[in-house]
Amino acid sequence: MARRRRAHGRKHSGEYQPLDVSRLMNYTSYETADNGMEFKVHQVRAGRKEYVCPACQGLILVGEAHVVAWTEDSWFGAEAGQRARRHWHTSCWKAKGHQATGW
């Protein structure tokens, strides 16, 4: 006959952790530039191909975490803004971000 597991009186252990909305949004957040333009910023855990960062001109290697940023405030519509998206090193985006793009 199988033994029954005993409850240890700790139904919910650990501290309360608030809901991380960015995880629900697939790691996409919104940022507003100094000029008022709004950017969608997507966190990529591990890229599948190499990209060139527009800020430092360095390579973003395969498997490296990075940021993809774009705006939907394009003269030619949201799709044109999405096509103009750029892949940034996370540190480059935080340091310079959309200021370096001329958007």
Side-chain angles (χ1 to χ4, degrees), residues 3-69:
R3 285 201 279 178
R4 225 170 131 198
R5 291 187 178 190
R6 289 180 38 195
H8 294 285
R10 290 182 287 152
K11 186 174 182 180
H12 301 285
S13 62
E15 293 181 31
Y16 168 75
Q17 295 181 359
L19 180 64
D20 185 0
V21 178
S22 65
R23 292 185 75 182
L24 294 174
M25 294 175 53
N26 200 18
Y27 300 99
T28 301
S29 60
Y30 295 89
E31 295 182 22
T32 304
D34 296 338
N35 63 2
M37 289 186 81
E38 188 172 87
F39 288 86
K40 285 189 175 183
V41 181
H42 183 77
Q43 305 291 325
V44 178
R45 287 187 179 179
R48 296 183 187 156
K49 59 187 227 183
E50 289 185 350
Y51 299 97
V52 176
C53 176
C56 70
Q57 301 303 312
L59 280 180
I60 300 170
L61 301 174
V62 174
E64 185 176 354
H66 63 280
V67 171
V68 180

Side-chain angles (χ1 to χ4, degrees), residues 37-40 69-74 77-78 80-82 84-85 103:
M37 289 186 81
E38 188 172 87
F39 288 86
K40 285 189 175 183
W70 69 94
T71 183
E72 293 183 344
D73 292 336
S74 172
Q82 290 171 0
R85 68 187 178 271
W103 276 333

